[in-house]
Amino acid sequence: MSERGLRRGLLALLLLLTLALSSLTRPTALGLAAEFSARTAPLLALGHRLGQNLKSAWGAFLDRRDLRAENRSLKAALEAERSENARLRLEVERLQRALAVKEAQAPGVVAVAPVIGEDQSGLFRRLILGLGEKDGLRVGMPVTAPQGLVGLIVETTEKTAVVRTVLDPESRVGVRPEHAPGRGIAQGFPPGRLLAEFPPQVTLTPGERLLTGTPLGLFPDGIPVAQIERVETVQGGLKKRALARPLVEFSLLEEVVVLRAL
């Protein structure tokens, strides 16, 4: 047999073997594929469900994170709104006090000033205000509160002012009884009273209020100053003297109303 014939025979034999193996393995391969597919189907389904659950969980996490951020933003906005409401409420109360002073005591309101300090050195009783010349405050301006007269501005800087209160022994206030004619002068009487002197014919009654009068011309007429506690006649009957308690509690003052100077 020639070499060419041998090669052809081997080629034909390989073709026959290939066809035989193909016919024998095709059903087996299909069966194995079907069996493998059947066995792995639950795993594939489980993986699919797991993926869906993970996707849903991640979406829920993102939603909760966004919700928490939104809640924080809303809480911050609510707190800011509360602070603004509180500020506006205080501002309304401050303006109401100024309006009360304007209606009851004097129309010439210049400013509402915070009390930032108190000078009680020696016998002097003075308040330090948190407004000054740049806010229109000047020496000689009366200072009052809804309860009554506080005093007079005696010093100013650009940003502060000093008030000499009616309790200061250097203070002088023209006063009159609320329900009787007559004029007198009151001055500070340490530690916490005013001493007012009147002509002997003026009727003074304990419990009656003293209001600002006009003898010194420093304060508008009619501002409440003090309440009479005791009355006595002095200098052989030539004068009447009244010990009076100021209507303003100076240690509790947080703000005062500054009036236009006369």
Side-chain angles (χ1 to χ4, degrees):
M1 182 180 294
S2 65
E3 184 178 353
R4 176 180 289 184
L6 182 59
R7 288 181 177 179
R8 289 180 176 178
L10 289 175
L11 180 59
L13 180 60
L14 288 174
L15 290 174
L16 291 173
L17 288 174
T18 300
L19 292 173
L21 288 174
S22 175
S23 62
L24 290 174
T25 58
R26 182 177 297 135
T28 304
L30 292 176
L32 289 175
E35 183 177 355
F36 178 79
S37 177
R39 290 180 180 275
T40 58
L43 294 176
L44 293 176
L46 179 61
H48 178 72
R49 288 198 299 272
L50 180 60
Q52 293 295 323
N53 291 337
L54 288 175
K55 183 178 179 181
S56 299
W58 179 250
F61 170 75
L62 293 178
D63 290 341
R64 284 195 296 271
R65 185 182 64 178
D66 294 341
L67 183 60
R68 285 195 297 269
E70 185 177 357
N71 286 339
R72 286 194 296 269
S73 177
L74 289 175
K75 287 180 180 179
L78 180 60
E79 188 61 30
E81 187 72 18
R82 287 175 176 171
S83 299
E84 179 65 12
N85 288 340
R87 187 191 67 79
L88 291 175
R89 184 168 59 252
L90 292 175
E91 181 69 13
V92 168
E93 292 174 356
R94 183 180 69 85
L95 293 176
Q96 286 175 341
R97 287 190 289 270
L99 181 62
V101 168
K102 184 175 181 179
E103 291 179 347
Q105 299 180 19
V109 174
V110 174
V112 178
V115 177
I116 61 174
E118 185 174 4
D119 180 11
Q120 295 184 351
S121 57
L123 297 177
F124 300 108
R125 293 297 302 273
R126 304 188 177 188
L127 301 177
I128 302 173
L129 307 183
L131 298 181
E133 294 173 359
K134 70 180 183 63
D135 305 293
L137 274 59
R138 300 290 184 269
V139 172
M141 285 184 170
V143 178
T144 187
Q147 298 84 2
L149 186 66
V150 174
L152 192 73
I153 293 180
V154 293
E155 297 178 28
T156 58
T157 67
E158 183 181 358
K159 297 182 179 180
T160 63
V162 177
V163 178
R164 183 176 62 205
T165 72
V166 295
L167 289 178
D168 193 295
E170 293 186 353
S171 172
R172 298 290 186 276
V173 182
V175 293
R176 61 178 174 84
E178 184 174 16
H179 301 297
R183 297 286 188 273
I185 302 295
Q187 67 181 82
F189 189 72
R193 294 293 185 268
L194 280 79
L195 195 62
E197 291 187 345
F198 294 85
Q201 63 270 25
V202 176
T203 301
L204 300 173
T205 305
E208 186 176 17
R209 295 193 307 175
L210 297 176
L211 311 181
T212 53
T214 56
L216 299 180
L218 298 177
F219 305 96
D221 183 66
I223 299 177
V225 179
Q227 186 174 39
I228 298 175
E229 292 184 332
R230 188 174 74 243
V231 179
E232 59 183 359
T233 302
V234 297
Q235 297 182 5
L238 297 178
K239 287 185 179 181
K240 275 187 179 179
R241 183 176 291 167
L243 186 68
R245 176 181 56 82
L247 297 175
V248 175
E249 183 60 58
F250 295 95
S251 61
L252 300 180
L253 276 180
E254 295 183 351
E255 62 183 18
V256 295
V257 179
V258 181
L259 305 178
R260 188 180 300 112
L262 295 182

